[in-house]
Amino acid sequence: MSLYEGISILHLMRRPFRVFSNIFHAFVSGPKTGKPFKLKFESSAICNLKCIMCPLTKGLKRKMGVLSFNNFKKVFDEINPPYLNLTGLGEPLINPDIFKIISYARRRGALVKLDTNATLLNDENIKKLIESDPTFISVSIDGITKKSYESIRKGAKFETVINNLKNMIRYRNKTYSNTKIHLFFVLQKSNMNDLIDFIKFGDSLNVDALNGNIAISFGNADNKDKLKINQLQIKKINENLKKIKKEIKIKLNIENIEEFLDNPDQIEKISEKSCFYPWYNPCITWDGYVVPCDIHCNNEIVFGNAFQEPFMKIWNNENARKFRKRLLIKRGGICAKCCVDERYILDKLKFLNRIPLINKISYRK
């Protein structure tokens, strides 16, 4: 749920038809769907780091580059999404148009989320970033000691990143900006023992939230070894996590981590979980390719190119419709590696199944 932190009823009601349209199409889960509520647009596929869990480090066949403002504007104006996530495989601050892209989307009324590794957050970039007014800035820090952090985020300097983060928080507070600053943690074998101290660190900085996930396999890359952790270690960390949650003030959004710690074998049962992404949350690469989501990071499945033809034509073309039909049957292939679990959406929509006639229109049983 952390993706939707801060989305109020007021924000939703700015475009009520879009909201109710997405709810309706999510419930129906048919081959066709409406204009999406949320858009994940890859701002950069180029990075200055070589993180051990990232598919970029393994090497991809697709082209690398950054999203141009003109291409962004073309697609954004067509979709006009209430929620824009400017993430991707690369570092957004490498993109020279990133501040212009954020500012444009915000002026059009979208909530904007940006993920960064914080290595390029010098004084000038901090000023430009905060002034561009993103709704959320998520800083990825996967270790709380120099050794663990630099062993994962290869090419980064721990002291520099922490200093940059603190400077950004100070500048945000000094300018009374409404931008929320979050920390993000990818749990894996080499940083398991950092989790509790990482939560304490985030709490001491008084950031707005701490989000986290388990290391998963993107595309055809295999990251299963990243979570091979002995049971005694998991038990101890889980016990400490339950204690620290009672002591901290920071908002924690680490449901997938907690679920893994409670049941490490759950990663093998991902295909049983619900996913609604292809009905409301498309992903577009920096060069315009519409893919089901960023798990298909090497363009393993492509619906079309939004820079070459209208987005909605792509979003409901034959390839997209076939994909949705398959996903309802089983999360196979690359989708079976993903840890997205949207059962909460399914639970919220269950009341519709109790309404005569309405319950007959859903493809999702």
Side-chain angles (χ1 to χ4, degrees):
M1 290 296 288
S2 61
L3 286 175
Y4 306 104
E5 178 77 18
I7 298 182
S8 66
I9 295 297
L10 180 61
H11 284 116
L12 295 178
M13 289 303 103
R14 288 177 181 174
R15 268 168 273 180
F17 180 78
R18 181 78 62 91
V19 174
F20 292 117
S21 171
N22 272 211
I23 291 172
F24 174 77
H25 284 103
F27 170 72
V28 174
S29 291
K32 288 187 176 183
T33 188
K35 190 174 286 189
F37 170 83
K38 182 172 180 282
L39 172 64
K40 183 173 283 191
F41 216 145
E42 184 177 56
S43 55
S44 172
I46 300 173
C47 196
N48 57 335
L49 302 184
K50 295 288 184 181
C51 302
I52 61 173
M53 65 288 188
C54 180
L56 266 183
T57 303
K58 300 284 186 180
L60 298 180
K61 294 179 181 179
R62 68 180 175 97
K63 292 181 180 179
M64 301 293 101
V66 297
L67 175 65
S68 73
F69 175 75
N70 289 337
N71 281 336
F72 163 77
K73 184 177 182 299
K74 174 188 179 298
V75 179
F76 183 90
D77 286 349
E78 184 181 350
I79 302 174
N80 196 18
Y83 192 111
L84 174 67
N85 190 350
L86 290 168
T87 190
L89 292 183
E91 167 54 43
L93 295 180
I94 288 176
N95 186 335
D97 285 344
I98 191 63
F99 307 118
K100 189 176 180 181
I101 289 171
I102 296 170
S103 295
Y104 183 81
R106 290 294 287 140
R107 288 197 304 271
R108 293 292 303 274
L111 300 174
V112 177
K113 179 176 180 282
L114 182 88
D115 297 80
T116 177
N117 60 37
T119 57
L120 302 178
L121 281 175
N122 54 34
D123 290 344
E124 180 183 1
N125 280 342
I126 288 173
K127 184 174 184 293
K128 288 180 178 179
L129 181 56
I130 296 299
E131 287 180 352
S132 67
D133 192 34
T135 315
F136 316 110
I137 299 172
S138 178
V139 179
S140 298
I141 303 178
D142 301 316
I144 201 56
T145 68
K146 179 179 177 65
K147 182 178 179 181
S148 62
Y149 173 82
E150 293 183 4
S151 70
I152 294 171
R153 295 197 160 259
K154 293 184 179 295
K157 297 296 182 184
F158 180 70
E159 299 87 352
T160 300
V161 167
I162 298 302
N163 187 59
N164 291 350
L165 171 62
K166 290 179 177 179
N167 286 341
M168 181 171 65
I169 293 172
R170 278 194 291 268
Y171 187 82
R172 188 275 306 266
N173 295 343
K174 175 184 174 182
T175 57
Y176 301 101
S177 166
N178 291 321
T179 296
K180 305 296 184 185
I181 297 176
H182 295 183
L183 300 185
F184 194 84
F185 188 88
V186 179
L187 184 79
Q188 48 203 291
K189 181 169 58 177
S190 53
N191 67 5
M192 278 288 292
N193 291 323
D194 283 15
L195 178 62
I196 304 303
D197 286 338
F198 184 81
I199 294 171
K200 292 179 181 178
F201 171 72
D203 193 48
S204 70
L205 287 182
N206 200 28
V207 295
D208 297 286
L210 193 152
N211 308 322
N213 209 336
I214 58 176
I216 60 172
S217 299
F218 277 74
N220 291 315
D222 195 350
N223 266 343
K224 285 185 179 179
D225 65 310
K226 301 292 188 300
L227 284 171
K228 289 182 179 178
I229 306 156
N230 70 66
Q231 296 295 319
L232 288 177
Q233 186 182 16
I234 289 177
K235 183 180 179 181
K236 183 179 180 181
I237 292 169
N238 204 8
E239 289 173 352
N240 289 333
L241 177 59
K242 294 182 187 306
K243 291 178 183 177
I244 196 69
K245 284 179 66 177
K246 299 176 182 178
E247 302 171 5
I248 60 172
K249 296 179 181 178
I250 190 174
K251 184 174 179 58
L252 280 181
N253 297 299
I254 56 171
E255 294 90 349
N256 283 326
I257 290 177
E258 293 179 282
E259 197 171 332
F260 171 76
L261 293 175
D262 285 334
N263 181 13
D265 295 332
Q266 67 91 26
I267 194 170
E268 303 297 335
K269 301 176 181 179
I270 285 172
S271 60
E272 300 174 6
K273 298 180 179 180
S274 301
C275 177
F276 288 85
Y277 271 26
W279 283 268
Y280 78 100
N281 184 14
C283 179
I284 303 178
T285 63
W286 70 273
D287 48 353
Y289 290 100
V290 181
V291 297
C293 71
D294 53 1
I295 292 295
H296 297 81
C297 61
N298 211 2
N299 288 4
E300 290 88 354
I301 295 178
V302 173
F303 297 155
N305 191 295
F307 299 162
Q308 298 171 6
E309 57 182 323
F311 171 80
M312 285 307 295
K313 181 179 179 181
I314 296 169
W315 192 223
N316 279 317
N317 67 16
E318 185 178 0
N319 288 339
R321 295 198 305 270
K322 285 182 178 178
F323 181 84
R324 292 186 187 105
K325 287 179 179 179
R326 288 197 302 270
L327 189 60
L328 282 181
I329 298 171
K330 183 179 180 181
R331 281 171 66 162
I334 290 171
C335 291
K337 302 176 183 180
C338 174
C339 65
V340 166
D341 181 4
E342 296 190 311
R343 285 174 294 184
Y344 65 91
I345 294 179
L346 196 61
D347 291 341
K348 289 182 181 299
L349 294 176
K350 276 184 177 177
F351 78 95
L352 293 172
N353 282 320
R354 295 194 291 270
I355 303 174
L357 299 181
I358 296 292
N359 59 6
K360 298 184 182 300
I361 67 174
S362 178
Y363 286 73
R364 194 185 294 259
K365 305 299 180 184

